[in-house]
Amino acid sequence: MKPKISVIVPIYNAEKYLGQCIDSVLRQKFTDLELFLVNDGSTDGSGDVCDQYALKDARVRVLHKENTGVSDTRNKALDIAQGDYLIFLDADDYWTDETFLEKFYNVAVEKNLDVLRGEYKYVTQTGEDMRYIKVPQKREKISGEVITSESFLENVILGEYFLVLSLIKRKAIENIRFNTSRIFLEDAEFYLTMLLRNLRCAYLPVLFYAYRKHDDAVTESPNPKKLQDAFDFSRLCYMLARKTKNTRLQQLLVIEGIKNYKFDLMVVADSNTAWGDMKRLRF
């Protein structure tokens, strides 16, 4: 039988964090799931860790592949995942609530949701609490309500394109895949492309995700390609706005692109390093 939920974990050289990540999934009270561990050509012992867990739990599926990046790695899993719902988890992060997946699935089925999003906290490299995120009033006001794609963008995402916080109905994704030419804001492009569809969305103030902050995280390392992707995101917002007939969604996408562009300019203006990277780019 097909599992109700597919959990997709792209893995690259995360051996020292991987056990905690996998255990946090297998400890869930909701058990009708498959855990997809996709080893993206790791050069440490990550692949062995994956294989060991697969021997111990039949729900664990392992795919070893050449190193092609997180987007392609997620795409490979999307092509073969069988769950009615999907959720992503980064290999150096973990879930803190053993009951959240059961809660989310029950709410998603009861309200026929396409997307259901929760909350996160920051933890240190060793897993100690670092910072809790204050829930914005916009999210609080619509908590538990079924809302539209445009309301989800306006009141829930609020510039935080953390795809790992969402349980997503497989049918809402269909043929959408991650842009493999991006190394930055790939989640954002995936999210916005999905929201062009008339989706049933909701938000619950359930804190379940521990986001580990450490120096070797991809998002923390300086890279001129990331700067290029950041500016390109504004152009993407405008292109997506032209694809929808939903007037409010069009407005929100254009505003999102403008805000992103302004932020990127401020970053470049305030950083000599960023400006040095900027001069090497071609637009």
Side-chain angles (χ1 to χ4, degrees), residues 36 38 63 65 68 71-81:
F36 234 119
V38 191
L63 173 63
K65 56 183 283 296
T68 55
S71 291
D72 183 60
T73 300
R74 284 172 166 177
N75 288 342
K76 291 291 193 298
L78 283 175
D79 289 341
I80 53 181

Side-chain angles (χ1 to χ4, degrees), residues 241 244 246-257:
T244 179
N246 184 320
T247 303
R248 181 55 182 159
L249 187 55
Q250 286 178 341
Q251 294 172 343
L252 291 170
L253 286 168
V254 171
I255 292 171
E256 196 73 7

Side-chain angles (χ1 to χ4, degrees), residues 67 102 132 193 278:
N67 178 242
E102 183 176 51
Y132 288 86
T193 303
M278 179 77 169

